[in-house]
Amino acid sequence: MPKKKEEIQQSLPGLNVEEVVEGVVESIIFASDDGRFCVFRLKPNRQNSRITATVNAEAPLVGQQLHLRGRWVTHKRYGLQFQVTGMRIEAPSSAEGIERFLASGVVDGIGPALARRIVEKFGRDTLNIIEKSPSRLHEVAGIGKKTIEKITSSYASQSELRDIMLWLESHHISGTYAARIFKKYGSFSIDTLENHPYQLASEVEGIGFKIADTIASSLGIAPDNRYRIAAGIDFALQDIAQKGHCCLPEENLAELAAKLLGLDKETVRKVLKALLAEKKLAVEYVGAQTLIYPQYLYRAENKVARKLLYLQKYADDIPMEEDPGILVEKWERISGIHLADKQKEALEDVLQYGVFILTGGPGTGKTTVVRGMLDLLQLQGLTVLLGAPTGRAAKRLAEATGQKAMTVHRLLEAQGAGGTGAPAFGKNEDEQLEADIIILDEVSMMDIVLMQHFLSAVPDGAHVILVGDVDQLPSVGPGAVLADILRSGVVPSVRLTDIFRQRGDNSIIMNAHAINAGRLPICSPQGDFQFWEMPDEETAAAEIVRLCAEVLPKQGFSPLTDIQVLSPMHRNACGTDNLNRVLQAALNPKSPHRPELTNGTQTFRLGDKVIQTKNNYSKQVFNGDIGFIMAIEPGKMTVHYSEELEVEYEGTEYKELQLAYALTVHKSQGSEYPVVILPLMPAHHIMLQRNLLYTAVTRAKREVILLGSKAALNTAVSNDRTRKRYTLLAERLYYGAKG
């Protein structure tokens, strides 16, 4: 039995003794987004007291019985805590513990209400019944054959899971990683751990190089082992995509890997040189510089360049009975629209070139040109497809043109991950799209991998029209596709610069262009572009809540569908994490009439606005899709995304969702909202860049409200130093066109 806290506190100075604590998880106090740290409250067995435990791992589930190994420490701010060095999940023995265990969601098919009924029926024998006599579950009201199959299958996997946990614990690794490892490797988990530990770093979500390295070390792999160094280089190389790069200079890669491995750079450089000599790395030589790629990004960049150049050269001619200029003039007369010179040039060019780019900021008439393109191309009897990277961008395109538009993923018939873990699509090189012309909007959001898959599915004779605002933030994924194609200078393009003032003399567009040019926006206390000076983040957060809950609804704006709070960051009082919590409490408060469920530190409630955070091909819902929780039942939750799409989530799938009352600016790309609220605080200084502010304000149609300090606003406008992305797409296009 562990010592009482008072006894430990008295003997703590100079004490560094490892102890064991067993108990049930009562609540999660904090869990980091990356699953690498959490704080939870534990009720030790046979004690009424509670302890606070911290662990460098993913949060356990509420109700789980844990066997903890660790040391007591005193935190300067939070007092006495149990610092966990090893954690094992165990089957509970008491009826109360079994109910909490089953209600936690660890067994598929059982939620809190069903857990209560099962334990009321079988008591302490419940787990034995599930394992050895599952047919007896029919004795519990509401359990049918399919539910029993789901429960028994899920519980059977727990035994294999316990084996993995024990293996990890015996090698001084937290057992909480077992679930992820089992999900990836199944019955081959132990074999992978013993023979290929570094695979975990690149193949298991949430397990980075350090954890894989700890496992390898426990197996006796030395720090300077070539296998270890090669794995460190590979992991550093794979990790560059997270920062937007497609490749990295040899010296930079050696430095990154040396830091990761805790070795001197020269030792790492020798292995890197050997790997290059053995041609085990994808590489390009540009002058005296050696640029190294992950294999998949090397292939993607080459394929994109080759296909664009091919389409440009071999696209089928568009049959026209008259000169493009005459056709455009006729369209102007029929539509009653007078085009600016650059708009006319764009419409003429799409009739002549296999690949064409239209770019320009808000209010420059891109939508008018796209409508004109559609009319002219369809009048020539051509089949046109419309697409965009996200559901919201596709919806905007459909509304603007009056024609069907789809996300790129749906256009390509996304089918889930293939054998290598890469996305698989129904439309590809072998089964291509059926269209003469394909128009993609918001192309600045597309990374090199998605562009590769798209172009692979484009028929050889088809035309491709790319539309986007090159001054917005680049894609979240690797590459800078739109900017690179424009930079190459080999693809015909038109940049619209004339600003057409909107009805009502909207100042949002004028201010967006001012920001893009490095000038401060003209703000007023009222009107459609406001700046509210705030003394600190806490005050700003409170004002954001008041705006969403009181001020703007009185002006006729819906807080859920018309207002979008954006933030440069996740952390701090004005970060998305905290803003989502306080906005949920204000706009959708806890109520007996609103069912809710808790996953980690996040509580989902009926009616909440949520965002999908990763591509789920099986459910056909993708990163950035926003919906509303329409139902919460025991063990599952239903989210309404559109009239055509409602998705059910259960168990571990809840992790794919986050509250969406507040979004990062990156997540808002491709969307428009009547009102945008954006805090700009000194604490955001790392993210305060001109293209971020420009992207944020261009999301608003009717009103922008900035809150923060004038110094932060000045910083955002003046900081035009965008982070360099290492890519060679522009160079591949340029030299490829030269022949």
Side-chain angles (χ1 to χ4, degrees):
M1 182 182 293
K3 296 179 181 180
K4 291 182 179 178
K5 287 195 287 183
E6 293 78 6
E7 295 173 5
I8 294 167
Q9 217 158 7
Q10 289 169 8
S11 60
L12 195 60
L15 185 66
N16 194 27
V17 178
E18 194 169 78
E19 297 201 18
V20 170
V21 174
E22 295 180 344
V24 176
V25 179
E26 287 216 326
S27 62
I28 307 300
I29 299 169
F30 171 79
S32 63
D33 290 337
D34 59 10
R36 295 181 182 180
F37 178 75
C38 74
V39 183
F40 58 92
R41 190 83 67 195
L42 187 91
K43 180 182 182 296
N45 294 346
R46 300 181 296 280
Q47 286 190 30
N48 292 323
S49 60
R50 306 292 186 272
I51 69 169
T52 299
T54 67
V55 62
N56 292 319
E58 190 173 2
L61 294 171
V62 172
Q64 283 185 326
Q65 176 80 29
L66 300 183
H67 174 101
L68 305 178
R69 186 177 65 252
R71 295 177 177 85
W72 292 97
V73 297
T74 301
H75 190 282
K76 289 181 181 178
R77 182 174 176 185
Y78 300 112
L80 192 65
Q81 297 179 335
F82 191 70
Q83 193 175 74
V84 178
T85 56
M87 181 161 72
R88 185 171 72 245
I89 300 167
E90 297 184 331
S93 55
S94 69
E96 178 191 5
I98 292 169
E99 182 181 333
R100 291 175 71 88
F101 169 73
L102 294 176
S104 69
V106 73
V107 177
D108 291 345
I110 301 180
L114 186 53
R116 188 179 308 112
R117 296 204 304 274
I118 294 172
V119 175
E120 282 175 356
K121 178 68 177 175
F122 300 116
R124 294 176 63 180
D125 289 333
T126 295
L127 298 184
N128 195 43
I129 295 290
I130 292 173
E131 185 174 1
K132 297 179 180 177
S133 307
S135 60
R136 288 196 60 195
L137 291 172
H138 278 299
E139 298 173 26
V140 180
I143 298 186
K145 184 180 178 181
K146 287 187 177 179
T147 302
I148 290 176
E149 288 174 358
K150 183 184 284 190
I151 291 170
T152 51
S153 172
S154 178
Y155 191 76
S157 70
Q158 303 291 320
S159 62
E160 288 192 76
L161 204 55
R162 283 195 290 274
D163 290 340
I164 301 167
M165 286 177 185
L166 288 170
W167 191 98
L168 290 169
E169 289 289 346
S170 68
H171 290 78
H172 306 291
I173 309 294
S174 173
T176 52
Y177 297 107
R180 295 181 226 175
I181 295 168
F182 179 71
K183 183 178 180 182
K184 176 66 180 177
Y185 303 112
S187 299
F188 295 97
S189 296
I190 301 295
D191 178 69
T192 304
L193 286 164
E194 291 179 341
N195 299 303
H196 310 285
Y198 287 107
Q199 279 185 217
L200 276 69
S202 56
E203 295 181 353
V204 180
E205 186 179 357
I207 295 185
F209 182 82
K210 288 185 178 178
I211 295 167
D213 200 34
T214 303
I215 295 170
S217 177
S218 75
L219 296 168
I221 295 175
D224 61 352
N225 181 285
R226 176 177 157 146
Y227 169 58
R228 175 178 183 262
I229 296 172
I233 290 169
D234 182 65
F235 184 78
L237 195 55
Q238 299 297 330
D239 200 45
I240 67 170
Q242 304 297 319
K243 300 175 177 65
H245 303 299
C246 289
C247 54
L248 210 59
E250 178 186 354
E251 190 65 19
N252 297 42
L253 179 58
E255 191 173 327
L256 271 178
K259 185 177 179 182
L260 179 72
L261 292 160
L263 297 172
D264 64 275
K265 195 158 64 173
E266 189 55 39
T267 301
V268 174
R269 192 186 282 113
K270 285 179 183 177
V271 175
L272 182 54
K273 291 284 187 188
L275 293 170
L276 288 170
E278 294 162 10
K279 301 188 184 304
K280 291 185 176 178
L281 295 171
V283 64
E284 288 285 0
Y285 299 97
V286 180
Q289 198 170 49
T290 301
L291 292 162
I292 304 173
Y293 284 78
Q295 291 284 355
Y296 78 103
L297 292 179
Y298 182 79
R299 288 193 299 271
E301 203 174 80
N302 272 291
K303 285 186 175 182
V304 167
R306 284 200 299 267
K307 188 61 178 276
L308 284 172
L309 292 172
Y310 182 90
L311 291 172
Q312 186 181 38
K313 189 173 182 179
Y314 295 111
D316 295 338
D317 291 335
I318 294 175
M320 293 178 287
E321 295 181 359
E322 296 177 286
D323 181 80
I326 295 172
L327 291 173
V328 172
E329 286 178 12
K330 283 186 175 180
W331 181 81
E332 282 187 282
R333 287 197 299 273
I334 294 168
S335 63
I337 295 173
H338 177 69
L339 297 171
D341 290 343
K342 283 288 184 182
Q343 291 177 308
K344 289 180 184 177
E345 182 186 341
L347 286 180
E348 292 175 17
D349 284 354
V350 297
L351 295 170
Q352 302 175 75
Y353 297 113
V355 183
F356 175 75
I357 297 176
L358 176 68
T359 185
T364 56
K366 288 199 303 294
T367 300
T368 299
V369 174
V370 172
R371 287 193 197 119
M373 289 175 180
L374 272 169
D375 287 349
L376 284 171
L377 294 167
Q378 289 172 340
L379 282 170
Q380 310 312 310
L382 301 171
T383 303
V384 184
L385 290 179
L386 298 177
T390 67
R392 289 165 290 159
K395 184 179 179 183
R396 282 179 53 209
L397 181 61
E399 290 170 348
T401 59
Q403 299 200 26
K404 183 180 179 180
M406 303 171 72
T407 65
V408 177
H409 283 93
R410 291 193 175 96
L411 203 65
L412 299 180
E413 298 177 7
Q415 297 178 342
T420 62
F425 297 96
K427 296 297 182 182
N428 49 41
E429 290 174 341
D430 300 321
E431 186 68 34
Q432 294 183 314
L433 295 164
E434 295 180 8
D436 301 307
I437 313 282
I438 305 170
I439 301 176
L440 290 189
D441 197 9
E442 298 286 358
V443 176
S444 63
M445 298 177 66
M446 287 187 68
D447 63 35
I448 193 73
V449 177
L450 185 57
M451 182 59 80
Q452 173 214 331
H453 286 295
F454 164 69
L455 290 173
S456 294
V458 174
D460 287 348
H463 292 234
V464 170
I465 301 166
L466 305 176
V467 182
D469 185 348
V470 75
D471 294 317
Q472 287 187 26
L473 288 167
S475 61
V476 175
V481 176
L482 182 61
D484 282 351
I485 298 173
L486 287 167
R487 184 164 63 88
S488 74
V490 304
V491 174
S493 65
V494 167
R495 181 172 187 140
L496 302 178
T497 54
D498 294 339
I499 303 170
F500 301 94
R501 298 296 291 265
Q502 302 294 298
R503 187 175 61 187
D505 217 19
N506 188 303
S507 65
I508 295 173
I509 289 170
M510 304 308 293
N511 277 329
H513 286 276
I515 290 166
N516 202 29
R519 301 191 306 272
L520 284 170
I522 299 171
C523 309
S524 62
Q526 302 295 325
D528 52 30
F529 205 103
Q530 304 174 28
F531 177 79
W532 296 19
E533 191 159 10
M534 295 284 120
D536 53 58
E537 281 201 76
E538 288 71 21
T539 305
E543 280 299 312
I544 289 171
V545 172
R546 193 173 71 87
L547 278 164
C548 293
E550 301 173 26
V551 178
L552 291 167
K554 287 178 181 176
Q555 298 173 17
F557 294 110
S558 163
L560 294 181
T561 57
D562 294 338
I563 305 166
Q564 186 59 60
V565 177
L566 303 179
S567 177
M569 297 178 74
H570 291 287
R571 298 186 302 276
N572 302 320
C574 280
T576 56
D577 293 345
N578 181 61
L579 288 173
N580 271 316
R581 281 192 292 270
V582 295
L583 285 167
Q584 182 194 43
L587 301 176
N588 193 28
K590 189 178 182 69
S591 164
H593 308 294
R594 291 192 186 100
E596 61 181 46
L597 62 84
T598 299
N599 181 58
T601 57
Q602 190 158 238
T603 297
F604 295 111
R605 199 167 288 144
L606 182 66
D608 272 338
K609 182 179 181 181
V610 293
I611 183 170
Q612 176 78 12
T613 61
K614 63 188 295 185
N615 292 333
N616 188 320
Y617 299 97
S618 62
K619 295 182 183 294
Q620 288 292 291
V621 59
F622 302 104
N623 188 1
D625 287 352
I626 285 183
F628 293 89
I629 297 175
M630 300 300 290
I632 294 180
E633 303 169 49
K636 70 177 181 179
M637 177 167 69
T638 304
V639 177
H640 176 89
Y641 288 100
S642 66
E643 295 305 317
E644 299 82 30
L645 184 64
E646 280 195 354
V647 176
E648 281 191 359
Y649 295 81
E650 56 185 8
T652 57
E653 293 171 343
Y654 300 143
K655 290 182 180 179
E656 297 179 11
L657 294 171
Q658 290 179 0
L659 295 175
Y661 299 101
L663 300 174
T664 61
V665 178
H666 273 96
K667 288 288 187 187
S668 73
Q669 283 182 268
S671 301
E672 273 190 350
Y673 316 96
V675 181
V676 164
I677 300 173
L678 176 72
L680 292 170
M681 307 302 298
H684 296 153
H685 64 92
I686 296 174
M687 298 297 295
L688 293 178
Q689 296 181 135
R690 186 183 300 171
N691 60 354
L692 181 137
L693 178 59
Y694 173 77
T695 301
V697 302
T698 54
R699 302 307 92 210
K701 291 190 288 187
R702 293 174 58 185
E703 199 167 314
V704 170
I705 302 175
L706 307 178
L707 303 94
S709 73
K710 288 181 179 177
L713 177 59
N714 285 332
T715 298
V717 172
S718 60
N719 182 11
D720 196 27
R721 297 189 305 276
T722 55
R723 294 176 183 173
K724 175 179 171 59
R725 291 191 169 192
Y726 286 102
T727 74
L728 289 178
L729 179 60
E731 287 76 9
R732 293 185 197 283
L733 287 166
Y734 178 79
Y735 290 108
K738 292 285 183 183

